[in-house]
Amino acid sequence: MSTTTRQLDTSELEERVKDMYQEVALEPGHEFHFETGRPLAERLGYPAADLDRIPAGAIESFAGVGYFLGLAAIAPGETVLDLGSGSGTDSFLAALAAGPDGKVVGVDMTDGQLDKATRLAAEAGFGNVEFSKGYIEHPPVADASVDCVISNGVINLSPDKPAVFAAAARALRPGGKLALSDIVSAEQLPEGVTCDASLWAACIGGAMQRDRYREAIETAGFEVVSVQENTEYRFVSDRADNATQKYGVKSISLLARRS
Ligand SMILES: C[S@@+](CC[C@H](N)C(=O)[O-])C[C@H]1O[C@@H](n2cnc3c(N)ncnc32)[C@H](O)[C@@H]1O
């Protein structure tokens, strides 16, 4: 008897993810498998008064899955690393919280997102935020140089989540915070879903089973402080909605501390 195990083509996945989020940056009005923009951000809990203080161009390309900045509680003077910063919504909000004595580094692999965020930062005079090209599995920052790592809707897209959490632990000083929103699943997803690069790029196929997700964070050297479900987040296409109903795919926000 022979069995075949399908494998996710990670090169194809990277290209799909880049294509999709390039489009989110450049053509934010298009329809995607997921919601984008200010109405989504406000529904997830972003205070409207905070959104009014950052570039509208960043918010139109917002593709996050939850609001975690309350959990992050970024203080003036802190250094923040945003993994998968997209067009910069969370980086800009973190930059306001960190103030002129703090600093934010956003890391993303998609040129369209980086170029847009960099342009918006210059136009709006955000001097304490910079956007760097890189992978969230190997962010270009020094060891123990960061007070808080943030990430929104991104880690599910990585085929190597333990590497992302290890990279976050490496970047953080002892006692530093990891605050994120991401997509996880109640049940382990079947190969038909995990090997589908389109569903993966739409933030579904890469969802890790939630207990395994927490274990991966703890294994990297974190203590999980709190986890909350974001019931306001929903997928929009029928195909995406079917997979989410069947396997309990959902958005969570989480705070952890590096030991
Ligand atoms: C769902 S979007 C979220 C963007 C942003 N955090 C937001 O809330 O609007 C995912 C972003 O992560 C980036 N990304 C995905 N996988 C990545 C990886 N392995 N390394 C670096 N960036 C990645 C994509 O280019 C995209 O900009």
Side-chain angles (χ1 to χ4, degrees):
M1 196 176 88
S2 72
T3 56
T4 52
T5 305
R6 289 175 63 193
Q7 295 253 318
L8 178 72
D9 180 336
T10 52
S11 305
E12 183 197 353
L13 173 66
E14 180 173 332
E15 289 317 307
R16 290 279 190 114
V17 170
K18 282 180 172 166
D19 286 351
M20 184 166 291
Y21 293 102
Q22 180 85 4
E23 197 177 337
V24 169
L26 302 182
E27 310 279 352
H30 279 190
E31 277 199 8
F32 301 96
H33 280 293
F34 45 85
E35 287 179 279
T36 54
R38 182 159 180 146
L40 167 66
E42 289 197 14
R43 203 176 71 240
L44 292 176
Y46 282 77
D50 291 353
L51 295 174
D52 287 342
R53 299 175 64 204
I54 67 168
I59 307 167
E60 71 181 3
S61 295
F62 171 71
V65 300
Y67 178 70
F68 59 87
L69 289 167
L71 292 175
I74 295 164
E78 287 194 338
T79 298
V80 180
L81 170 63
D82 185 1
L83 296 176
S85 42
S87 289
T89 294
D90 293 306
S91 292
F92 289 122
L93 292 170
L96 290 175
D101 296 331
K103 182 182 158 188
V104 179
V105 179
V107 173
D108 206 287
M109 67 179 184
T110 302
D111 290 329
Q113 297 271 40
L114 282 170
D115 294 348
K116 184 172 187 180
T118 302
R119 174 178 54 79
L120 292 171
E123 285 172 2
F126 275 77
N128 61 344
V129 57
E130 64 185 48
F131 296 95
S132 298
K133 185 160 183 164
Y135 291 101
I136 59 173
E137 296 82 0
H138 309 282
V141 295
D143 293 2
S145 62
V146 166
D147 299 296
C148 184
V149 172
I150 61 174
S151 185
N152 200 346
V154 183
I155 300 172
N156 71 88
L157 293 168
S158 172
D160 191 354
K161 296 167 184 57
V164 179
F165 296 129
R170 176 189 68 74
L172 281 168
R173 62 165 173 77
K177 300 166 279 188
L178 170 66
L180 58 84
S181 295
D182 202 9
I183 301 296
V184 296
S185 63
E187 291 175 38
Q188 171 67 44
L189 299 175
E191 280 180 9
V193 177
T194 59
C195 293
D196 182 322
S198 299
L199 277 179
W200 193 300
C203 285
I204 294 163
M208 199 179 205
Q209 200 278 336
R210 62 185 174 210
D211 301 326
R212 306 287 92 72
Y213 190 90
R214 185 184 175 122
E215 280 165 23
I217 293 173
E218 289 169 345
T219 300
F222 289 95
E223 183 192 339
V224 174
V225 178
S226 70
V227 185
Q228 68 193 39
E229 203 173 303
N230 301 316
T231 49
E232 318 79 21
Y233 187 74
R234 52 181 182 255
F235 291 91
V236 288
S237 75
D238 286 346
R239 188 153 176 247
D241 202 37
N242 286 344
T244 55
Q245 301 279 343
K246 199 162 172 191
Y247 304 109
V249 177
K250 60 187 69 169
S251 164
I252 56 159
S253 293
L254 178 149
L255 174 67
R257 254 183 208 282
R258 187 190 182 292
S259 315

